[in-house]
Amino acid sequence: MASPLKTGKQSVNLASAPPRVSKIRRDPPPAVKELVVRDPEERDQWEVIVGVLTFALAMFVIIFAFASYSGWSPSKHAIQVRVDE
């Protein structure tokens, strides 16, 4: 068997020497922000509400745009209200 070659450096005994203290100054770590955990059901309810309102608004805009394109206008129609006493 071949024996390893000797190097010029001496081996370091890590068990006997105390660890060196780092002299690099560092800022303390930033404070951890608290995460607010919302109820998944409440989040789902808000997502449904926003989705329904967005869909309703989109339908209103599409219908109003089509009516305007076809020449219909609410100003062409008069509403008459009769009050029976």
Side-chain angles (χ1 to χ4, degrees), residues 1 12-13 17 19-20 25 30 35 42-43 52 55 57-58 61 65 77 80 85:
M1 251 200 212
V12 178
N13 186 2
R20 293 186 335 191
R25 295 183 185 203
L35 294 175
E42 181 183 355
R43 187 188 70 225
V52 168
F55 182 76
L57 180 64
V61 168
H77 303 280
Q80 297 176 358
E85 292 180 31

Side-chain angles (χ1 to χ4, degrees), residues 38-54:
R38 292 179 55 190
D39 185 26
E41 290 183 14
E42 181 183 355
R43 187 188 70 225
D44 290 344
Q45 288 174 352
W46 277 108
E47 288 176 357
V48 167
I49 290 170
V50 169
V52 168
L53 290 177
T54 303

Side-chain angles (χ1 to χ4, degrees), residues 22-43:
S22 174
K23 301 212 183 222
I24 300 173
R25 295 183 185 203
R26 295 183 178 94
D27 292 334
V32 178
K33 294 180 182 177
E34 278 191 39
L35 294 175
V36 178
V37 179
R38 292 179 55 190
D39 185 26
E41 290 183 14
E42 181 183 355
R43 187 188 70 225

Side-chain angles (χ1 to χ4, degrees), residues 57-75:
L57 180 64
M59 292 303 296
F60 174 77
V61 168
I62 290 170
I63 291 171
F64 193 74
F66 179 74
S68 295
Y69 177 74
S70 64
W72 183 85
S73 174
S75 62

Side-chain angles (χ1 to χ4, degrees), residues 2-8:
S3 62
L5 297 174
K6 293 191 176 198
T7 62

